[in-house]
């Protein structure tokens, strides 16, 4: 929503949503409890050499057993919105087939507790924990997964539609397709051809469509749905018309296969030219699902590529970062706060989105220790402050950013980087399960309370 009275010195609008985020597999633990099936990450993490220190998701933050105290802590920090995901293998241990009532019961208990603590749920249907049984039948390379997801989405939205009104279909398609089936760094760790990887994208887009369809069919009054994308973000080297135009051209090119696709009636000619014979197989009716209108766009923003106008006639020049460019301990996480400004502005101006949520933003560091009861994570406070300022600038410039979810509420299982990489504003001691809010948590509490970037 655009507010024309908003200026650079206004507090964040009253309707602006501040929240925190996490995901089922990364925090719940209880990986084989109450009938939960094996996920591809349970499987992958047991293959030697795939995950740092051989860390598994077996216990994680033990949120499965401690959610009530976690929500009490969230509430005490002033958090009113929490983005979580539902673990598909808890609901359908084999992905399809038999339903596990204990899985549904767990999420009812969880939502009851959130209710008691005054926390609104924002629920992602799929955050990477594909049931292993589906992987054994082709995983994202197969339409079997699409059919299974359609049933899973229908089941979950029917079950929880009366108490969940904000739905996110999928989290970061690139990560569970390209990185998982192309580069092999994420579960299931396959290295397939470009044609196969493009097909996994197509199947993911179909599942996004099924998620939207399920929410429209069973979400009830007031239900809203959108995709969370980790688009490739460009930042113009100078905020001049020529560099901005170059950054926009790069952004459109890089995001053709996800953002481009969900807005179209088919893949764009530029995409089809690029992939040539490796184009995905599309069946009649696929784009009726993929192109279903959504209510908002979720963006996970962490970093960006700097782009400037081409020097000798090219449309753009994307710069490699010098080795001493600042970054977090996550090797990919270069610090480019303007990423939030440009990603939201481009999604608004180029695709017409008029409700955008930052569904994740945060930073991962190692070796954050509790000393005298405190974790002085000034590096994270700085990261958050710089990014929140860019969210605020976007709103002041008329970009409809309606909310911000900080990743993450608590240190958790950072996929192939295991537990050493900490993204939380709450420290988790994985030996004792003691939680300690870091300095950044107290900082964020003050930001939420004053609705100002302090
Ligand atoms: C993206 C993912 O959605 C989340 O699961 C991950 O932990 C964070 N980014 C940090 O890498």
């Amino acid at each position: 929503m655009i507010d024309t009275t908003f200026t650079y010195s206004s507090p964040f609008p009253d309707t602006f949503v501040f929240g925190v985020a996490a995901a089922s597999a990364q925090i719940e633990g209880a990986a084989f409890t109450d009938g939960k099936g094996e996920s591809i990450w349970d499987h992958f993490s047991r293959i030697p050499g795939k995950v740092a220190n051989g860390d598994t998701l077996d216990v994680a933050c033990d949120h499965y057993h401690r959610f009530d105290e976690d929500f009490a802590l969230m509430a005490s920090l002033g958090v009113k919105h929490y983005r979580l995901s539902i673990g598909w293998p808890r609901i359908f241990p084999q992905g399809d087939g038999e339903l596990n009532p204990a899985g549904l019961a767990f999420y009812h208990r969880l939502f009851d507790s959130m209710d008691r603590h005054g926390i609104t749920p924002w629920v992602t249907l799929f955050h990477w924990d594909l049931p292993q049984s589906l992987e054994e039948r082709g995983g994202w390379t197969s339409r079997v997964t699409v059919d299974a997801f359609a049933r899973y989405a229908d089941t979950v939205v029917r079950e929880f539609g009366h108490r969940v009104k904000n739905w996110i279909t999928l989290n970061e398609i690139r990560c569970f397709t390209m990185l998982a089936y192309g580069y092999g760094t994420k579960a299931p760790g396959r290295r397939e051809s470009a044609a196969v990887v493009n097909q996994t994208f197509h199947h993911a887009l179909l599942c996004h469509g099924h998620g939207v369809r399920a929410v429209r069919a069973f979400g009830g009054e007031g239900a809203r749905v959108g995709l969370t994308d980790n688009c490739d973000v460009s930042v113009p080297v100078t905020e001049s018309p020529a560099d901005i135009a170059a950054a926009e051209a790069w952004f459109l090119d890089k995001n053709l296969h996800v953002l481009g696709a969900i807005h179209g009636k088919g893949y764009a000619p530029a995409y089809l030219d690029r992939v040539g014979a490796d184009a995905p197989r599309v069946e009649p009716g696929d784009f009726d699902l993929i192109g279903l209108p959504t209510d908002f766009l979720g963006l996970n923003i962490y970093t960006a590529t700097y782009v400037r106008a081409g020097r000798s006639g090219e449309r753009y020049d994307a710069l490699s970062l010098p080795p001493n460019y600042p970054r977090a301990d996550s090797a990919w996480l270069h610090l480019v706060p303007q990423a939030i400004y440009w990603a939201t502005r481009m999604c608004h101006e180029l695709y017409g989105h008029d409700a955008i949520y930052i569904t994740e933003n945060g930073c991962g560091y190692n070796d954050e220790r509790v000393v005298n009861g405190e974790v002085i994570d000034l590096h994270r406070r700085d990261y958050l402050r710089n990014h929140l300022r860019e969210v605020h600038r976007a709103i002041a410039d008329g970009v409809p950013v309606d909310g911000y979810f900080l990743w993450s509420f608590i240190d958790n299982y950072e996929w192939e980087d295991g537990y050493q990489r900490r993204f939380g504003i709450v420290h988790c001691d994985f030996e004792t399960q003691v939680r300690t809010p870091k300095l950044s948590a107290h900082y964020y509490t003050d930001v939420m309370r004053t609705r100002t970037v302090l």
Side-chain angles (χ1 to χ4, degrees), residues 73 367-370 374-375 409-411 422 424-430 432-438 441:
L73 177 57
D367 294 327
E368 293 181 330
R369 287 160 211 265
V370 183
E374 285 196 288
V375 181
F409 170 59
I410 187 167
D411 295 335
R422 295 174 178 275
I425 52 170
V426 171
H427 181 273
C428 182
D429 180 326
F430 294 106
T432 61
Q433 293 297 340
V434 168
R435 278 80 162 126
T436 309
K438 304 178 190 176

Side-chain angles (χ1 to χ4, degrees), residues 23 26 83 127-128 171-172 175 186 228 230 300 302 330 332-333 360 362 407-408 412-415 423:
Q26 292 176 273
R83 173 176 175 238
H127 198 128
W128 306 0
N171 180 70
E172 298 196 352
C175 287
K186 297 207 184 289
T228 276
N230 57 329
N300 289 357
Y302 288 90
S330 304
W332 50 272
L333 212 168
E360 285 183 31
W407 185 276
S408 179
N412 58 49
Y413 186 81
E414 178 53 13
W415 308 113
F423 272 83

Side-chain angles (χ1 to χ4, degrees), residues 69-79 117 119 409 437 442 445:
E69 60 189 83
D70 285 340
F71 293 137
L73 177 57
M74 256 184 219
S76 76
L77 291 170
V79 172
H117 290 100
I119 300 168
F409 170 59
H442 301 301
T445 295

Side-chain angles (χ1 to χ4, degrees), residues 246-288:
E248 286 179 351
W250 184 93
F251 184 87
L252 284 171
D253 272 7
K254 286 286 175 182
N255 294 299
L256 275 173
H257 55 322
V258 177
L259 288 179
I262 65 170
H263 295 102
K265 292 269 161 275
Y267 287 112
Y271 171 76
L272 294 173
D273 280 353
R274 187 164 78 206
V275 293
D278 295 327
R281 284 182 316 279
V282 177
E283 293 187 6
D286 282 0
F287 272 90
D288 296 342

Side-chain angles (χ1 to χ4, degrees), residues 53-105:
N53 306 313
D55 289 343
T56 69
L57 306 81
D58 293 6
V59 180
C61 309
D62 197 29
H63 181 68
Y64 191 85
H65 299 109
R66 296 169 193 260
F67 60 82
D68 208 43
E69 60 189 83
D70 285 340
F71 293 137
L73 177 57
M74 256 184 219
S76 76
L77 291 170
V79 172
K80 297 199 165 48
H81 296 269
Y82 173 46
R83 173 176 175 238
L84 67 145
S85 72
I86 302 242
W88 184 350
R90 279 202 200 284
I91 309 298
F92 287 106
Q94 307 301 309
D96 48 13
E98 221 154 292
L99 177 74
N100 177 30
L104 295 176

